[in-house]
Amino acid sequence: MSQMMNHSSYRHSLNHMLTSHLLGGGYPALMPGAPAMARNRDGQRTTATFNAAQPAAHRAATANYPIHIERASIDSLPQACGVYVLRGANDMPLYVGRSLNLRGRVLAQLNNHDEQMLVRQTRRVEHHRCAGEIGAELLEAQLLRELRPLHNKKARDKRCLFTLRLDAEGRPGVARVSEHEVAANHPLFGVFGSERAAQEALHQLVAQHGLCSFVTGLEPSTGEGMACFGRQIRRCRGACTGEESHHDHQQRLNAALEELRIVPWPFVGRMGIVEHQDGLRQVHVVDQWRYLGTLDHEHRQLTMRSSQKNRPGFDLDSYKIIIHRHLLGQLEWRPVAA
């Protein structure tokens, strides 16, 4: 009996010693779910908690996956650049987006409380891997036009565009222009998706360059020698009051407009923009600034639409995506056979 008591007492003492040692902070990593004991500056014991951020792999593994969404379509999402489409009942396109990390972006959206209406309507996730940001932006713009998803901001019809032109007297004005006119390399100063956007650009141009709102026709003149509003606030240089000659004003106006001039297509025929990422190589086919589709390293057709192949003309979305990088020399161009 005494042996049993001694053995029980010894085991209790041993357990107490081990527990005290672990809780004392010797091996906190062995007990991740329990508070650890630490000592403050005075040597007193305090309870320490572990609030370290969980790794990305853990967050993905414990993310909330809505059971009504096809799980395989979520599991197949890569941690790579691309475009995704949230589709609802009968494969209806609900939302088109892009990201440098498709998996992270979609999981974040599916767990966003502000987008629960969209999440409830979603049935599966479609994705398109891209070799870089340019391809993702071009494909996203194309899918937005073609699919017109329910929860994206509706894209304007770009078949009717607006630009700035000089009239016979050298005054700038807003004019409607077709995409075919833009592609014909006419001297146009800016291309805008709406008349209002073109008007705002013209007003901003006059204000930024100290031009006269009387001479440019933005403000009706109240009489010869009268100062326009810009002159009254010392923004205009005085073309309205004769302090600046009409010739000098026109020269400054022309120089300001040159900053908006549409860059003509610099190649003969279609060209490809090459992108590389993580072993994936793609060639984005462009003609007259219009995106036609993407080819992979085997020249196998990926996203080229039959409706795009023989459709000539200028595309404002593609132009905006490409032109800045092109002027900075950041693009790798290569010829593409028709």
Side-chain angles (χ1 to χ4, degrees):
M1 183 73 175
S2 64
Q3 289 180 350
M4 292 178 60
M5 291 181 62
N6 290 339
H7 178 71
S8 175
S9 175
Y10 171 77
R11 184 173 59 185
H12 175 75
S13 299
L14 180 63
N15 289 341
H16 178 73
M17 180 181 68
L18 290 173
T19 303
S20 300
H21 178 65
L22 290 174
L23 291 180
Y27 300 97
L30 298 178
M31 303 183 65
M37 300 302 294
R39 295 181 183 274
N40 59 20
R41 294 181 178 179
D42 299 327
Q44 298 175 340
R45 288 188 174 185
T46 59
T47 301
T49 58
F50 298 94
N51 296 318
Q54 298 290 347
H58 175 79
R59 292 198 303 270
T62 59
N64 179 29
Y65 295 90
I67 60 174
H68 63 280
I69 300 178
E70 181 184 293
R71 181 60 184 266
S73 69
I74 299 178
D75 291 340
S76 64
L77 290 168
Q79 294 184 3
C81 179
V83 177
Y84 66 96
V85 183
L86 301 184
R87 292 188 177 269
N90 301 318
D91 239 20
M92 174 184 292
L94 301 175
Y95 184 85
V96 172
R98 74 174 191 276
S99 176
L100 295 176
N101 184 336
L102 284 169
R103 183 171 184 80
R105 174 70 180 93
V106 172
L107 289 178
Q109 190 165 13
L110 295 181
N111 286 276
N112 187 340
H113 294 292
D114 295 333
E115 300 191 54
Q116 287 309 298
M117 178 181 295
L118 170 61
V119 175
R120 286 194 297 269
Q121 295 176 338
T122 301
R123 294 296 176 267
R124 75 178 183 93
V125 184
E126 170 188 318
H127 77 270
H128 303 269
R129 173 84 184 279
C130 296
E133 292 184 60
I134 298 174
E137 290 183 44
L138 291 170
L139 179 58
E140 180 192 38
Q142 183 188 66
L143 292 177
L144 286 172
R145 287 193 304 269
E146 292 185 357
L147 301 179
R148 295 188 174 274
L150 186 63
H151 288 269
N152 285 94
K153 183 179 179 181
K154 298 303 179 184
R156 294 181 181 272
D157 188 351
K158 299 297 193 308
R159 287 177 295 179
C160 290
L161 304 171
F162 296 86
T163 187
L164 302 180
R165 277 179 170 165
L166 294 174
D167 62 15
E169 299 179 3
R171 291 178 301 187
V174 175
R176 185 188 297 268
V177 61
S178 70
E179 57 186 18
H180 298 284
E181 290 181 87
V182 180
N185 295 335
H186 292 303
L188 304 176
F189 304 106
V191 176
F192 308 92
S194 69
E195 184 176 7
R196 179 179 178 181
Q199 287 284 3
E200 290 177 353
L202 180 55
H203 280 271
Q204 187 175 24
L205 183 81
V206 170
Q208 288 181 344
H209 293 271
L211 300 170
C212 178
S213 56
F214 282 172
V215 177
T216 54
L218 294 184
E219 184 183 352
S221 177
T222 55
E224 185 176 354
M226 298 297 294
C228 69
F229 177 73
R231 184 56 184 162
Q232 295 176 35
I233 61 174
R234 299 186 180 277
R235 180 178 293 167
C236 166
R237 296 188 186 179
C240 48
T241 59
E243 297 170 76
E244 181 183 32
S245 70
H246 177 76
H247 177 268
D248 290 345
H249 183 272
Q250 192 64 37
Q251 290 290 103
R252 294 197 302 110
L253 171 60
N254 293 340
L257 286 171
E258 279 298 320
E259 298 177 7
L260 299 177
R261 182 186 286 270
I262 296 298
V263 178
W265 178 243
F267 307 104
V268 177
R270 61 179 58 182
M271 293 287 288
I273 301 172
V274 182
E275 278 192 302
H276 310 261
Q277 187 179 85
D278 298 331
L280 178 63
R281 180 179 184 272
Q282 293 180 329
V283 179
H284 313 302
V285 184
V286 182
D287 191 10
Q288 298 294 336
W289 303 117
R290 177 182 293 280
Y291 171 59
L292 300 180
T294 295
L295 308 172
D296 68 4
H297 64 284
E298 298 175 347
H299 296 275
R300 176 167 48 86
Q301 184 171 306
L302 291 181
T303 61
M304 190 175 292
R305 306 289 198 259
S306 58
S307 61
Q308 296 284 337
K309 289 181 182 178
N310 300 314
R311 185 181 175 188
F314 175 86
D315 181 71
L316 180 58
D317 293 326
S318 299
Y319 180 81
K320 288 181 177 180
I321 293 169
I322 297 171
I323 189 60
H324 183 65
R325 297 176 171 106
H326 169 69
L327 294 176
L328 291 178
Q330 297 175 347
L331 302 182
E332 180 184 344
W333 291 98
R334 55 157 291 179
V336 176

